[in-house]
Amino acid sequence: MFLNIRSFLIGIGFMICSAVMCAQDTKSAASYSYKRKGLVNTQLYIPNAIGSNFVSDGMKVKPGFKLSALGRIYPKVLLGVRYSLFEAEVTQPEYTGSYERSRVFLIGGDIGYQFDLLPNLDLIITAGGGYVSYLGIKDDLDFRDSGGAIWLNPEWSYSIFKWLAITAGVEIRADYLNIKTASQLEGNFNEVTYLNLGSGLRFML
């Protein structure tokens, strides 16, 4: 847990330092975007649990979707919210418990910074935290485990029109859950780390 938090803080520090170093706006074809108030992202979301935990050891994760909205509080600084949802099928219940599938959703807040790389190509790095819920389902019964999550999400976009862009990104995410289990198993159940991929469309408002 502490290693993930340290990595997250290092990532935040890198983003802040980069923002300071690039504080002078570069003139490019993307400069028109600063006149817009914000953006909305819709993405195909491909979760990938890494390390040893109940998701990576006992589930087959399916693609989901991510929706986020960011508004400009300064020309290159953005603030917003995100929502993501995916499902997973239990393949080895000895690692997960006695249920058939899980539905995982997240809602939280983002802060980000935009970098202009090339004409029509930019990079937005966002970081944030929020609430995460794992809904376990078996037949007509369900139960819920919940907790918090933090993430760091670099995302590239290529503008097709002034109002539309194609996006692709990677997300480092750590979920911290409040699951009561034997002390020797807490590491497998109470922390899940993901390296997620996403691709979709961005609408500039």
Side-chain angles (χ1 to χ4, degrees):
M1 176 177 178
F2 295 109
L3 179 60
N4 283 334
I5 292 175
R6 185 177 66 179
S7 299
F8 177 77
L9 293 175
I10 290 172
I12 293 288
F14 172 77
M15 186 179 73
I16 293 172
C17 291
S18 298
V20 172
M21 293 172 63
C22 298
Q24 296 297 323
D25 289 354
T26 57
K27 293 182 179 180
S28 72
S31 61
Y32 65 79
S33 65
Y34 305 139
K35 299 178 182 179
R36 296 179 175 270
K37 295 181 179 180
L39 51 93
V40 174
N41 288 322
T42 60
Q43 285 193 332
L44 173 68
Y45 191 59
I46 304 176
N48 178 41
I50 58 177
S52 179
N53 53 70
F54 74 99
V55 177
S56 60
D57 294 338
M59 295 185 182
K60 180 180 180 181
V61 180
K62 301 177 181 180
F65 75 90
K66 182 175 73 174
L67 178 66
S68 64
L70 292 165
R72 296 188 185 280
I73 58 175
Y74 197 70
K76 290 189 177 184
V77 180
L78 303 107
L79 191 67
V81 295
R82 73 168 57 196
Y83 174 86
S84 68
L85 175 69
F86 66 88
E87 292 193 353
E89 177 187 351
V90 173
T91 56
Q92 299 188 64
E94 63 269 26
Y95 292 108
T96 63
S98 182
Y99 56 99
E100 297 172 349
R101 67 186 192 276
S102 182
R103 184 175 299 138
V104 182
F105 82 85
L106 175 148
I107 186 167
D110 275 325
I111 185 168
Y113 191 88
Q114 178 173 340
F115 301 86
D116 295 330
L117 304 178
L118 293 170
N120 296 332
L121 179 68
D122 66 52
L123 167 66
I124 294 180
I125 300 178
T126 55
Y131 170 82
V132 65
S133 171
Y134 286 66
L135 180 65
I137 302 169
K138 182 176 182 179
D139 299 326
D140 294 330
L141 302 175
D142 61 62
F143 64 93
R144 189 183 304 275
D145 294 308
S146 61
I150 56 175
W151 58 84
L152 183 67
N153 185 189
E155 191 170 275
W156 292 263
S157 73
Y158 183 81
S159 298
I160 304 172
F161 305 108
K162 290 184 177 181
W163 56 273
L164 180 65
I166 299 172
T167 66
V170 60
E171 177 191 75
I172 304 168
R173 169 176 149 184
D175 294 355
Y176 301 101
L177 305 173
N178 301 312
I179 300 177
K180 294 182 179 180
T181 185
S183 58
Q184 63 269 28
L185 297 176
E186 285 183 354
N188 282 356
F189 281 90
N190 287 345
E191 181 180 339
V192 184
T193 303
Y194 292 92
L195 183 61
N196 304 326
L197 302 176
S199 182
L201 297 175
R202 173 178 298 166
F203 300 90
M204 275 76 81
L205 306 177

